[in-house]
Every structure is written in structure tokens, then in C-alpha cells.
Amino acid sequence: MIIMKPGATEEQICNVVRGIENCGLRADVSRGEYLTVIGPVGDESKLQFDRLAVLDGVKEATMVEIPYKLISREYTKLFTSAHQHNVIKVGNVEIGGEEIVFIAGPCAVESRDQLYRIAEGVKKAGAHILRGGVFKPRSSVHSFQGLGAIGKNEAEESLGWLSEAGKEYGLPVITEIRGESQVDLVAKYVDILQIGARNMYDQDLLVRAAQKGKPIFLKRHFGASIEELLSFSEYIAAEGNKNIILCERGIVPVGKGKSFTRYMLDLAAVPVMQKESYLPVFVDPSHATGRRDLIYSMSCSAAAAGANGLMIETHYNPAEALVDGKQMVTPDELKVIIDACKKINHVVADGHDENS
Ligand code: PEP
Ligand code: MN
């Protein structure tokens, strides 16, 4: 990490960048209000920090050992405060700002009519962003694979419905990309690219998606540590795309007996990741619990933990959903959840400065 002196000139900054590039690395330049910080991307053992330290305009040049330095508080503490996140603007929505943000919609897009009805419902309930899976990750090849399934030829049409429904109801849209071959197509239609839990470790996918320059919603793998989630999000940041939203969606439960939930929701991950990184952190209580009757309490808990937003699967008639009906709430239930979480978010924000 190279910290430039306040008022360092553009030429001095370029000179440091050249010094890094000459050693075969790339340079990530972050410009704060007063300071510029330069992070080498690549094998740092090839750099001689003492040489960089004596270049004109350089205040300090030190090696940062953490694997997720570009998204770390450490790297950016010079220009962000402890509760400030990287605010990501998507349409009129601010993610990581003061207000808690809600992504809602069906697990899977099933038809144009289904999607429009749900979009209208979640908009009325107060949601900000519309979700809907087209390329579904499924454990069984015999279950409904989503309209993006190979051989169906409905992927592009259903992505078009997402985009149109979003415009109709004033909601930016998000959908999952499951593989590299889907990146170009999906990026044409949606505002935020979701990389699901199962693909969190796919570094080629992360890089290709990052290069689209759109915000990336990265979900934690159910067997991943927090450090791994942060380290893999660094692949996105290293492409110069810092518009990353992290999502806790439950990890594998422990012990032998019944756990009663689909996964185990790790809510401590929320403040931990917010302290380690300046990226906004979301919670998905739907996949974490797999149970409609727990969505209200876990959403309120996530808001109390300080989450920047929630992703909640919603359907006007969960019983008829082809996927994940058991964990879906109705738009009416969503409204109650959103109203409660907004109040909790304000209470938590009021106490921040005194308590952490
Ligand atoms: C989803 O959000 O549609 C999904 C499949 O979630 P996850 O990747 O967390 O399992
Ligand atoms: Mn689902």
C-alpha cells in the first residue's frame, strides 16, 4: 500500500503507478478527498517498497499482508469513517447509504404474468430492487431448472421481462449468473449481477462479471469462512470494480440432530464484514432459514445487526411457486417486514457512534 502525501501531483501518482507496473504488477488507485492511496495488485514479493517509499510525493509505502486489502478498512481508513460504506447508486437506490435497502421477488422467474404480479406487489410493499432467478442452481437435474435451462431458449425472453418489469415499476433488477457463458447476456438486461453461494469460489466468473462494470452481489458459500468471502470479492475489486455487495445467506449447520433451518444464519458476519471492509453487507433470511415463519424475526435481527439491506423471496401465492415456496413471504407480509426493519435500522444507527 502506497500512501501519497496530501496534495501529491498527478505526475507523482503516475510515477508510482509506473514503478509498480515496471515490476509486473497492476496498480489500484483510490482517490479520497484529501489523500490518494495506491494498492499494488499481484505478487507483492516482486516489489521493493523501500524504493517506492523514496519517490516524490510518497508519504508511506508498506506491504499489506491481508488477502483482501483493496476492499479493506485498513486500506481505505484514510478516507472513510467506521460506519461509512462504499455507497453504490443503482437507479435511484443508494446501497450502503443511511437507509436499509430491500431486494424482493420470486426465487425463479416462471412467466411474464407471474413476474409482473410480483413486481407490482413488492413495489407496493416498499421494496427497492426486483429479483428473479433465470439460471437457477438446483441440486437435482429432475427439478425445475429455471427458464434459462439449457435447451429451453427462454433465457433471453425472461431476462427481457425482468428488465421491462423493473422499468414498469421503477425497480432496478438483479439476477444470478451461474457461469461465464451467461455473463454477456445477463449484463445486457440487469442492473446488478448476482453470483450465488455455489459459485463464490469461481474466480474466472468473478473476473468476467467484474469486467462488465456493473455492481456485483456476491453471496457467501455455505462452507466459506468470512475471510474467504472477502478474499474472493477481492478478485472483483482487482478488476477496478469496487461496487460489490456482500451477502450472508447461511452456512452449513453443525451437529448431528435436526437443525430446523435450511442453513445456519451467521449474523455476526454482518458487523464483522463491515469492520473488515467498507463494502455494504446484505442478509438473505429466505435461503438461510428455508422457512416463511422465520423470515420476519430473522429480518428484524439482520436489521438489528446493522445490515445494509435484505434479500427476501416473495410471491403472491407461495404455494404455487415452482421453487422455494416454503420460504417465500407474500407482498403483504413483506410490507410488515420492511416497515419493522426500517424502524430498527434507525434505532441501531442512532447508537452507532457510542457503541463501536
Ligand atoms: C438465490 O438467491 O436464488 C440463490 C440460489 O441463493 P444462494 O446462492 O444463496 O443459494
Ligand atoms: Mn430460492
Side-chain angles (χ1 to χ4, degrees):
M1 175 162 88
I2 294 93
I3 304 169
M4 302 300 294
K5 286 180 185 156
T9 66
E10 215 34 54
E11 201 186 326
Q12 290 167 338
I13 294 169
C14 285
N15 198 31
V16 173
V17 169
R18 257 196 311 276
I20 294 170
E21 288 175 348
N22 285 343
C23 297
L25 285 82
R26 285 182 289 146
D28 177 87
V29 182
S30 292
R31 292 164 205 272
E33 209 174 320
Y34 308 107
L35 284 177
T36 295
V37 183
I38 304 171
V41 179
D43 180 0
E44 286 194 7
S45 66
K46 291 188 185 151
L47 283 183
Q48 286 175 307
F49 283 92
D50 43 352
R51 282 205 181 172
L52 292 169
V54 295
L55 291 177
D56 283 348
V58 173
K59 180 166 176 262
E60 214 179 297
T62 46
M63 186 142 170
V64 179
E65 302 276 358
I66 45 175
Y68 48 90
K69 64 179 176 201
L70 300 180
I71 56 149
S72 70
R73 286 266 177 219
E74 190 57 34
Y75 182 68
T76 54
K77 70 179 177 205
L78 298 155
F79 45 85
T80 55
S81 76
H83 295 293
Q84 193 182 340
H85 301 278
N86 183 27
V87 177
I88 303 171
K89 275 210 82 170
V90 188
N92 293 326
V93 183
E94 270 194 1
I95 298 170
E98 279 177 17
E99 299 300 323
I100 186 165
V101 169
F102 290 83
I103 301 175
C107 180
V109 176
E110 296 173 14
S111 68
R112 186 176 184 279
D113 179 60
Q114 172 246 23
L115 184 65
Y116 270 67
R117 267 183 81 181
I118 294 174
E120 186 182 10
V122 302
K123 175 74 184 185
K124 273 197 195 139
H128 306 91
I129 296 169
L130 176 66
R131 67 153 279 152
V134 170
F135 299 104
K136 292 304 304 171
R138 300 307 309 275
S139 303
S140 168
V141 71
H142 302 296
S143 52
F144 173 65
Q145 305 287 302
L147 296 182
I150 294 170
K152 260 187 114 49
N153 289 329
E154 286 170 338
E156 185 147 16
E157 190 180 15
S158 44
L159 287 167
W161 298 334
L162 252 182
S163 163
E164 285 164 25
K167 288 197 182 92
E168 173 91 18
Y169 294 103
L171 299 164
V173 295
I174 174 170
T175 201
E176 177 170 353
I177 301 179
R178 223 183 37 217
E180 275 184 80
S181 64
Q182 297 154 2
V183 172
D184 291 339
L185 179 67
V186 170
K188 268 206 305 203
Y189 289 97
V190 305
D191 305 288
I192 305 173
L193 312 178
Q194 176 172 331
I195 297 187
R198 286 153 196 80
N199 295 304
M200 184 205 87
Y201 290 108
D202 186 342
Q203 48 198 82
D204 296 329
L205 176 59
L206 297 176
V207 168
R208 288 262 286 118
Q211 288 169 345
K212 288 287 158 195
K214 295 201 164 182
I216 310 274
F217 190 87
L218 182 62
K219 298 184 94 175
R220 179 182 181 183
H221 185 276
F222 32 80
S225 67
I226 290 173
E227 188 177 36
E228 283 178 299
L229 174 58
L230 296 171
S231 302
F232 279 87
S233 67
E234 185 87 346
Y235 279 95
I236 302 166
E239 293 304 310
N241 185 348
K242 309 263 179 71
N243 289 335
I244 307 163
I245 303 144
L246 302 172
C247 181
E248 162 59 33
R249 45 78 72 213
I251 50 178
V252 175
V254 294
K256 273 190 172 159
K258 258 178 103 158
S259 289
F260 298 94
T261 53
R262 194 170 170 184
Y263 292 95
M264 205 168 71
L265 187 55
D266 177 10
L267 282 180
V270 175
V272 168
M273 292 197 285
Q274 289 171 337
K275 282 172 198 287
E276 285 301 308
S277 156
Y278 58 86
L279 301 178
V281 179
F282 272 51
V283 169
D284 168 356
S286 307
H287 292 92
T289 64
R291 287 174 54 168
R292 178 177 324 128
D293 63 329
L294 300 183
I295 305 299
Y296 176 78
S297 54
M298 289 300 96
S299 297
C300 291
S301 306
N308 299 98
L310 284 136
M311 172 179 263
I312 301 176
E313 287 191 339
T314 311
H315 198 293
Y316 48 84
N317 181 8
E320 75 176 47
L322 295 178
V323 197
D324 284 350
K326 281 191 189 148
Q327 67 197 34
M328 285 179 169
V329 297
T330 62
D332 286 346
E333 288 164 336
L334 181 68
K335 184 175 180 343
V336 176
I337 292 168
I338 292 178
D339 292 347
C341 288
K342 279 186 172 170
K343 286 186 206 149
I344 295 168
N345 178 53
H346 291 152
V347 172
V348 172
D350 287 347
H352 255 155
D353 293 336
E354 291 77 36
N355 288 295
S356 50

